[in-house]
Amino acid sequence: MLKTTLRSFATLAVVAAAASAQAADVKVGMVLPLSGPFAAYGEQIERGARLYIAEHGDTVAGRKLVLITKDDTGVAPAVSKRQAQNLLIQDKVDVLAGFGLTPSAFAVAPLATETRTPMVVMNAATSAITTKSDYIVRTSMTLPQVTAPIATWALNNGIKSVYTVVADYGPGHDAEAQFKKTFTAGGGTIVGESRTPVKTPDFAPFLQRAKDAKPDAVFLFIPAGEQGVAFAKGFKERGLDRAGIRLIATGDLTDEDVLDAMGDAAVGVITSFHYSQAHDSPENQAYVSAYLKAHPGKDHRPNFMSVAGYDGMHLIYEALKKTGGDASGDTFIAAAKGMRWTSPRGPVSIDPATRDIVQNVYIRKVERVGDQLQNVEFDKIADFKDPGKE
Ligand code: PHB
């Protein structure tokens, strides 16, 4: 009798274990800046990801998808690494995701490799990030990818000399190198260059140096956010525009999140970028209205980071569907390679060779549309790959 009871307990335990293995949640752990000067990045990426889950249901390939977020506070690689370790060891996540800033992605890449965990980068945009682990796939952009088109636009629009100003870290160095490469190859001249501190820069001395160099235009990359407001306003206040100098930039500058705060200083600025709230497509109209419905306050507007979070979640869902719910690193990444879909930004795909996103890059001009400033697209470079890896 005791034997039979024990045997049936054992059978029950086996059955229960098998059932729980089958139905085990798939856990996605996001490392994001949710406090500090870059908190808006985390909020936007998380909003995009959660919007996708709300629209598509939280079950994928028979498994319940659970999203866990951890705050890395911004440019703090040691914190990013510790939070990723917590996610892997305590929460036992299947997929790492998020990554607002380059130092955070660089810090976590070795953990993805060691644990063979897929790592979906949803903002950090230094070209080399995807080369740091075979388990990384990126749904945002790279700086060379969004920089080369504005250099070509400048060449085609009578700009012969440029002063470059970039944030002094990975994405800034990438933007500077690509701008120089494309612009000088087309016959343009770089008359000066400055690198500004990543945290709380005072732009006054750089603006003055740029003005004194008398270029046709200043090319700028700084991480999206309040810094851009300070730069655009300083550009006007110091009279660079009255001196006939144009301001051109990657779209990080005119991010919808800060565009209204920039006000008149932004009007007419030309940028190149992969996403605009004003992108005219049915997918984007649906995205923007769903975002605004979910977040009716005026604290944020749908922007490129929210879209990268949304698309990152799309990639996770579609990869899991293809693998029948298997999130193990090699299987998951194989499923992500070559994936194609229509994002709110336009058609995109994952380059199987680099695991980076291939997408349209648009040339846009800031204009007043109704009661808001918008990045109005007027030209595009279709299906553009990251030139930083060539
Ligand atoms: C980055 O740290 O890689 C980064 C941050 C903000 C941007 C673009 C890139 O707007």
Side-chain angles (χ1 to χ4, degrees):
M1 162 110 164
L2 185 66
K3 247 187 186 169
T4 333
T5 316
L6 279 180
R7 215 180 291 134
S8 58
F9 267 131
T11 318
L12 263 181
V14 170
V15 171
S20 83
Q22 240 173 35
D25 295 348
V26 50
K27 292 185 183 169
V28 177
M30 292 177 112
V31 178
L32 294 170
L34 291 164
S35 64
F38 299 102
Y41 292 20
E43 284 163 17
Q44 288 282 21
I45 294 169
E46 186 177 353
R47 281 184 179 189
R50 292 206 186 275
L51 182 57
Y52 191 89
I53 297 170
E55 287 178 355
H56 296 83
D58 65 358
T59 303
V60 53
R63 297 178 72 180
K64 186 176 156 62
L65 187 135
V66 178
L67 195 61
I68 304 166
T69 59
K70 296 270 187 222
D71 181 13
D72 71 7
T73 75
V75 183
V79 182
S80 306
K81 187 172 175 191
R82 182 159 31 83
Q83 293 292 39
Q85 276 163 339
N86 289 338
L87 285 167
L88 290 165
I89 295 162
Q90 283 158 18
D91 299 302
K92 301 196 166 40
V93 298
D94 301 285
V95 179
L96 289 167
F99 309 100
L101 292 122
T102 285
S104 159
F106 276 144
V108 176
L111 296 178
T113 305
E114 275 166 40
T115 61
R116 299 170 181 258
T117 304
M119 173 169 163
V120 183
V121 174
M122 296 170 166
N123 188 57
T126 299
S127 178
I129 288 171
T130 45
T131 69
K132 298 300 176 193
S133 171
D134 291 344
Y135 297 100
I136 294 180
V137 54
R138 175 158 47 192
T139 58
S140 50
M141 56 156 179
T142 77
L143 258 301
Q145 185 180 40
V146 294
T147 296
I150 193 72
T152 304
W153 181 88
L155 288 165
N156 293 339
N157 286 273
I159 293 172
K160 296 190 168 61
S161 60
V162 165
Y163 190 102
T164 61
V165 180
V166 300
D168 192 5
Y169 77 130
H173 301 166
D174 269 9
E176 182 191 84
Q178 188 64 50
F179 191 90
K180 268 195 208 170
K181 187 176 173 192
T182 307
F183 193 61
T184 57
T189 308
I190 302 293
V191 293
E193 49 187 79
S194 288
R195 292 180 173 186
T196 63
V198 180
K199 281 189 201 168
T200 57
D202 169 13
F203 291 117
F206 305 108
L207 285 162
Q208 194 55 47
R209 257 176 256 158
K211 188 180 180 189
D212 293 343
K214 297 189 179 11
D216 292 336
V218 167
F219 165 75
L220 176 73
F221 164 77
I222 46 177
E226 295 301 327
Q227 294 187 16
V229 181
F231 192 95
K233 290 194 166 165
F235 195 88
K236 240 188 144 101
E237 280 159 17
R238 296 202 154 246
L240 277 81
D241 59 338
R242 269 172 285 136
I245 303 170
R246 303 190 63 171
L247 176 57
I248 56 175
T250 59
D252 306 85
L253 174 65
T254 57
D255 171 15
E256 283 78 2
D257 243 11
V258 294
L259 202 44
D260 296 313
M262 234 176 246
D264 285 340
V267 173
V269 172
I270 308 275
T271 59
S272 52
F273 221 35
H274 56 299
Y275 180 71
S276 163
Q277 182 186 347
H279 178 66
D280 189 9
S281 74
E283 291 80 11
N284 191 46
Q285 271 158 23
Y287 178 75
V288 168
S289 67
Y291 180 106
L292 295 175
K293 196 169 161 211
H295 307 286
K298 282 204 158 63
D299 60 338
H300 293 303
R301 291 168 53 179
N303 75 347
F304 68 105
M305 295 196 193
S306 70
V307 163
Y310 185 83
D311 283 333
M313 204 44 75
H314 174 86
L315 181 141
I316 292 169
Y317 272 56
E318 291 304 312
L320 289 172
K321 282 190 207 167
K322 267 199 193 170
T323 64
D326 183 353
S328 56
D330 294 282
T331 314
F332 181 100
I333 291 296
K337 287 181 181 177
M339 198 180 274
R340 244 169 226 288
W341 69 99
T342 306
S343 155
R345 67 187 97 167
V348 299
S349 66
I350 300 298
D351 182 353
T354 62
R355 288 161 278 104
D356 254 320
I357 193 158
V358 182
Q359 58 192 336
N360 297 343
V361 177
Y362 305 88
I363 310 292
R364 316 97 48 84
K365 185 180 191 176
V366 177
E367 290 175 14
R368 217 167 267 289
V369 180
D371 62 350
Q372 271 184 329
L373 293 178
Q374 293 285 6
N375 291 294
V376 178
E377 296 168 351
F378 62 90
D379 200 0
K380 78 171 178 211
I381 294 84
D383 299 328
F384 194 55
K385 271 190 198 179
D386 173 28
K389 300 209 177 56
E390 278 162 15

